[in-house]
Amino acid sequence: MSTIKVDTIQKLNGSVPKASDLGLNVSGTILQTVSNTTNTPKSIASSSFVTTDHSVTITPTSTSSTILLTVMGGHAWNGNNINKVRMFTIYRGSTDLGHGTGGVWTHYCNAFNAQPHSGSIVDSPNTTSATTYTVYGRGQDTSTQYYTVDIGGSGTDDVPAVTLTAMEIAG
């Protein structure tokens, strides 16, 4: 195995090379990943999108970067004995990234049904400032639904974790 040691790297004109000059930051590569995991019980009793308080903040390194957002694991719960639909979306600040009232992902729940979260969307924030993404949820009506809750529906014991992840992808 060989080792190369240098004090500085310069281009022919004497300037300091950018990461792309060195083959780094190539379009499509993942530059950074930030995630936040929660198992704090959260109920939702609204037919309009309301915050779940589950968020992650990422500071893109370039305005041309895109952010891949995923929400995985845990489970949502329909806390009543009727079939219900619940929708979840992701907001960047006050901007809903989802598809109108349908959100980013939807669960159709049979009575007392729990389902794991599995949603993703790509955002182009066009900024190098710290950017916060938050999961929001809503029900088809104002009956109580849950973003995170235990399998028995009481909301407090053995709540499976759900993870929100933001990955910056070089543009």
Side-chain angles (χ1 to χ4, degrees):
M1 181 161 99
S2 300
T3 302
I4 298 174
K5 295 181 180 183
V6 299
D7 292 326
T8 60
I9 296 176
Q10 293 182 343
K11 293 171 66 173
L12 289 176
N13 66 5
S15 66
V16 176
K18 294 183 257 175
S20 58
D21 296 330
L22 302 173
L24 305 173
N25 257 4
V26 177
S27 181
T29 59
I30 296 174
L31 302 177
Q32 63 173 313
T33 301
V34 180
S35 64
N36 181 11
T37 299
T38 184
N39 67 342
T40 302
K42 180 66 177 182
S43 64
I44 298 167
S46 176
S47 59
S48 301
F49 282 117
V50 294
T51 184
T52 65
D53 299 318
H54 189 194
S55 63
V56 67
T57 299
I58 191 168
T59 304
T61 58
S62 171
T63 58
S64 64
S65 293
T66 56
I67 308 296
L68 171 62
L69 299 150
T70 62
V71 180
M72 305 293 265
H75 63 75
W77 173 265
N78 178 4
N80 44 53
N81 195 17
I82 16 179
N83 298 338
K84 295 287 180 179
V85 176
R86 59 182 170 248
M87 289 66 67
F88 297 93
T89 192
I90 300 174
Y91 275 68
R92 175 184 9 95
S94 61
T95 302
D96 182 359
L97 302 179
H99 311 287
T101 58
V104 175
W105 70 101
T106 301
H107 292 164
Y108 176 77
C109 303
N110 295 323
F112 296 112
N113 185 329
Q115 295 174 323
H117 294 285
S118 178
S120 63
I121 194 161
V122 175
D123 184 36
S124 299
N126 193 31
T127 187
T128 56
S129 297
T131 304
T132 300
Y133 294 95
T134 306
V135 178
Y136 278 63
R138 75 177 193 88
Q140 73 185 51
D141 56 27
T142 58
S143 63
T144 301
Q145 307 286 316
Y146 295 91
Y147 174 63
T148 49
V149 69
D150 71 353
I151 196 70
S154 65
T156 56
D157 299 323
D158 300 320
V159 178
V162 58
T163 300
L164 170 60
T165 302
M167 290 181 272
E168 180 185 4
I169 301 171

